[in-house]
Structures are given as structure tokens and as C-alpha cells.
Amino acid sequence: MMTDLPEFYFRVRENGAAVFRIDTENRQRRIDMEQIAVLNIRNGDVRPQGARVLNDHERAAIDAWMEERRALLARRDVDDILRAVDHMNITTQWVQSKATDKQLEEITDSLLLAMHDLRSTLVRKKADRLSKVQTSRD
């Protein structure tokens, strides 16, 4: 059963991970975890632990994990936005069918400003994309 463990463990941190090498080949058959590096997912920085020098195999495993992690975080970003769209629809239904005047007075200005800001940004970004497409056609 101990052979089913991965060779490396990545303890996720806010901007990356601490990387550990897993060792079960010891006399007590315990799981030992030796920290080998700390990485920053945003800038790709990988700092070996202490005076350690990462070998090619370790670096390849770290690079693969970082690529998979970035893809996962990108998927989560899109999922969060799609949930926000659902929440906006639920909010619209609430405003239309359940909200009291007092509740509407409490939320209207901040919601309108946030929606205006979002709409302005989306329109500007769409115009930029259309401009790039038009420029590439010319």
C-alpha cells in the first residue's frame, strides 16, 4: 500500500506550494516528507530548500505540477464568473419578486455602481478585441 503514494507532495499555499519528497523506504516504514523547494505559481519562481540543488527529475515534476495548477486555477476563475452570472440572475428574480423597499434602498446604489463598472469594463475589452480583429484583417 505504501508504494501507491506519489513521489512528491505539493502543499498548496496562497501563491504557490511547498514541495516535499515522500519517502517510505525506511526501517520504520513511516511516511517521511522532506521539503525540497518552495514555488511561486504567479511568477514561476522555484526556490530549493536550504543548500539543495534540484535534479532534472524533481524540476520536471515541479514544472508539470505548476502547469496543471495554472490550468486548474484558470478553470476555477471561469467557473467563478459563471457562478456570478447565475447569482446575478437569482438577484434579479429576488428584486422582482421578493425584495422590500427597505432592502432595495439598502442595495440599489452599490449594485448599480458595480454593474456600471462591470459593463464599462466589458464594453471596453470587447471594443479592444474587435479592434485587434479588424486590424489583423487589414
Side-chain angles (χ1 to χ4, degrees):
M1 180 171 273
M2 291 294 196
T3 59
D4 294 335
L5 293 174
E7 185 176 1
F8 301 101
Y9 170 70
F10 295 83
R11 181 192 299 152
V12 175
R13 298 166 38 153
E14 182 151 344
N15 293 326
V19 185
F20 296 84
R21 177 179 283 284
I22 297 175
D23 177 22
T24 58
E25 300 300 321
N26 54 58
R27 293 167 80 184
Q28 296 84 14
R29 299 290 295 159
R30 294 183 1 207
I31 299 173
D32 288 332
M33 294 172 48
E34 173 193 5
Q35 186 171 356
I36 63 171
V38 174
L39 58 95
N40 183 316
I41 198 81
R42 290 188 181 156
N43 65 15
D45 184 40
V46 176
R47 289 180 302 156
Q49 188 67 20
R52 180 182 191 91
V53 175
L54 298 174
N55 63 38
D56 291 344
H57 175 68
E58 292 167 334
R59 186 58 200 227
I62 289 170
D63 290 345
W65 184 87
M66 287 175 57
E67 186 177 323
E68 290 172 14
R69 183 71 179 170
R70 284 185 183 118
L72 172 65
L73 294 174
R75 287 192 309 270
R76 285 182 181 170
D77 282 347
V78 171
D79 188 54
D80 287 347
I81 299 306
L82 292 174
R83 287 174 198 251
V85 171
D86 287 349
H87 204 76
M88 288 176 65
N89 287 322
I90 291 167
T91 302
T92 302
Q93 186 60 35
W94 173 80
V95 165
Q96 184 175 355
S97 62
K98 296 179 183 175
T100 65
D101 288 345
K102 183 179 178 188
Q103 288 171 322
L104 290 172
E105 189 62 37
E106 186 177 337
I107 59 101
T108 297
D109 290 343
S110 60
L111 190 55
L112 283 172
L113 287 171
M115 289 169 43
H116 174 74
D117 185 30
L118 176 61
R119 183 183 183 282
S120 298
T121 304
L122 287 171
V123 167
R124 186 180 67 249
K125 291 288 197 172
K126 180 138 188 148
D128 291 347
R129 288 192 315 272
L130 290 173
S131 176
K132 286 178 186 175
V133 169
Q134 186 63 32
T135 302
S136 69
R137 288 182 185 166
D138 291 341

